[in-house]
Structure formats: structure tokens, C-alpha cells
Amino acid sequence: MAQVIIFPDQDSFEKGLHVLQGEGIPVEPLNPPLFCQGLVASSIVVTGAARWFAAELESRGVNISGENSFSQFNREVPEAAPPDPNWQDLVGRFKVNSVRRSLTDSSRLRVEISLGRSIAHLIPIMARLIRGGAFVPAVPALTFEEEHRLIAIAPQEIIVSRADDLLDIWVIVRTLIELIRSSREHLDRIRPETQPRQGIGAIELFKRLPGNNCRECGNESCMEFATGLITGRTRICQCTSLEKQSNPENRRSLKWLLGMIGLGEA
């Protein structure tokens, strides 16, 4: 079964390709399409246990963003010109630090991206351009839904939850770069958003709860508990099932999302 190894930057890809080819391992480079060239690194498609290959690369000092199963994309690759080379003036170095299975939908991917430069001054403009979602001026942070995806933008970090596949990641990355560029172009023409808004509902919080409806928190269901987090009636520490879980990822994700939508240590 084909697997794909994803790298944070092009240097890491080239080092990884050199190591695997030097070991005589059959590999196939997977280059991003024209519309994303220079934004994201190439990947490597291998047959076999990608996790073993990734561990071997990391032991040789090669940085890895993640590994995932790979199959032919189920839609056409969009045709578009390369991104404006001036994008680096806005965001600096662009790194895809992590690609892994989404906590809230294991059939999709969660992507963590870091920016070399802060875009804090542009996020209030983006909040004007994007209708709906949650906006926290104090951070600033903008979180919004795009179909089934959840996208969170902070000054030097972008997180995309529930991306479909690698092609979807490429499209989202290019779209976000265009959003950042558009915000810069409107900087002197659009009044920045200053008012907070709470546009992410209880369902996103519910997806990060155990879902066992144990009632130990005093609520009839996990959805009722999630609604309480939105209104301030409940707090994370009241969910004993969440506290008892051996894997703390749900709790971390829930705290992260509450912070991104302005509810802090709820």
C-alpha cells in the first residue's frame, strides 16, 4: 500500500530523498502543483510502512511533518499560476510542521503551519473579509468553518482541521496565502474589526468530548456540557471522563479551541 511522507520544508525533503535513495529504497517524489510551488515542500511516496521510513529519517536528522496513506486524488488538480513571489514578504518562512489524523474526524487530516513573520496586523482585516466565525481581538485570532473544515489563524500559526487529503491541504494553503495578500491590499481601505464575536458553536466543542454521556458533570449529556462551556455555565475540570483519559489530546484540543474562540480557561 502506498504511503506518503510529508516534510516541513524543501530542504528536509531533499535530505530525506537523499537518505532513502542512498539506502536503495524505491521512492517516488511527489511535487506540489504549480499553484502551490514554493509554498509547500515536495513529499515522498513509498510502498510499505511509512512510519518505519519516517522513524529512520528522523534518526538521521531529517525533519518530518507526518506520514499518511496515499492514493490518487479523487478530483482534478486545479490549474492556476504560481503564487506571487512577494508572499514571503508577508509571512516569512512557511513551514508545515505537522500533518496527522484529525482528532474530530479520523478519516481527515489536521495540519499545523508556522509563519516566520507575524500577521497580527492583518487578522483584524481578515475578520472583516470573512463572514461568521469567531474573532478574538486581544490575541488576535480568527477561527472559522469552511464546509467541513475548521481553520484557525493566529499571528504566527495556522491550523486546519479536517482537510480531505494532501491535495486539499495544497488548495487550502494557497487560498490562505491569497487571503493574507488580500488583507494586506485592503489594509488602508478597510476598517479593522475591533469587536469580538463568538461564531463557533457547541458542536465543535462536543467533538472533543468523550461522548459517553456519563452525567458525572451534572449534565444530562455531553452536548449539554458543551453548550455550558459556550455559555460559561460549565468548566473543563467538571468533565471527569476527560480528566481520566490516558490520552490527553482531547483535553489539549478542547483547551486550544476555547482559547482560539475567546473563552480561555473555561
Side-chain angles (χ1 to χ4, degrees):
M1 182 178 182
Q3 303 278 311
V4 61
I5 302 174
I6 304 166
F7 298 87
D9 49 46
Q10 194 66 15
D11 286 345
S12 297
F13 159 76
E14 291 173 2
K15 291 176 183 176
L17 186 63
H18 177 75
V19 168
L20 294 178
Q21 289 180 332
E23 295 292 331
I25 298 171
V27 297
E28 179 184 348
L30 179 65
N31 297 318
L34 186 63
F35 68 80
C36 225
Q37 280 186 2
L39 281 174
V40 296
S42 300
S43 301
I44 294 177
V45 178
V46 298
T47 301
R51 187 165 298 179
W52 183 90
F53 293 125
E56 177 67 16
L57 290 174
E58 289 180 326
S59 72
R60 305 277 285 271
V62 179
N63 294 322
I64 303 295
S65 299
E67 72 281 334
N68 192 44
S69 59
F70 178 76
S71 58
Q72 293 301 314
F73 304 125
N74 57 12
R75 59 176 170 137
E76 292 277 336
V77 177
E79 293 186 9
D84 186 318
N86 293 326
W87 67 266
Q88 286 186 309
D89 295 336
L90 291 175
V91 303
R93 192 176 186 188
F94 190 95
K95 292 179 65 177
V96 179
N97 293 319
S98 173
V99 179
R100 63 180 188 271
R101 288 291 172 185
S102 170
L103 180 68
T104 56
D105 184 344
S106 60
S107 69
R108 294 189 164 100
L109 302 173
R110 184 180 194 270
V111 187
E112 298 178 8
I113 298 165
S114 65
L115 309 178
R117 293 182 181 175
S118 173
I119 57 170
H121 62 301
L122 299 178
I123 294 177
I125 305 295
M126 294 184 212
R128 286 282 185 181
L129 297 175
I130 298 290
R131 292 183 177 273
F135 175 59
V136 185
V139 177
L142 176 65
T143 306
F144 59 95
E145 293 172 291
E146 175 62 32
E147 295 183 348
H148 52 268
R149 306 166 194 86
L150 182 71
I151 299 174
I153 303 174
Q156 288 189 263
E157 181 181 53
I158 296 173
I159 293 179
V160 180
S161 296
R162 300 190 295 273
D164 292 332
D165 53 20
L166 197 53
L167 175 57
D168 198 39
I169 292 172
W170 291 334
V171 171
I172 293 169
V173 163
R174 175 61 188 270
T175 302
L176 291 174
I177 286 295
E178 293 305 318
L179 173 62
I180 293 169
R181 288 185 63 248
S182 179
S183 300
R184 176 61 185 86
E185 291 172 359
H186 288 86
L187 192 59
D188 299 325
R189 288 180 282 171
I190 293 181
R191 181 167 54 87
E193 182 62 81
T194 59
Q195 296 301 312
R197 63 180 188 241
Q198 170 54 64
I200 300 297
I203 290 178
E204 276 297 337
L205 303 180
F206 170 75
K207 290 176 180 177
R208 291 160 172 81
L209 291 171
N212 57 1
N213 299 327
C214 68
R215 301 184 183 182
E216 291 184 19
C217 61
N219 293 276
E220 290 298 311
S221 66
C222 289
M223 178 56 79
E224 184 178 331
F225 179 82
T227 302
L229 290 174
I230 292 285
T231 62
R233 182 177 54 79
T234 59
R235 299 176 65 83
I236 290 179
C237 59
Q238 292 174 241
C239 180
T240 55
S241 294
L242 197 63
E243 295 291 333
K244 292 175 183 176
Q245 283 185 334
S246 57
N247 184 354
E249 188 61 32
N250 285 65
R251 191 174 192 277
R252 281 199 296 264
S253 180
L254 185 58
K255 289 183 67 175
W256 163 78
L257 182 56
L258 287 169
M260 288 297 296
I261 63 179
L263 296 179
E265 292 290 327

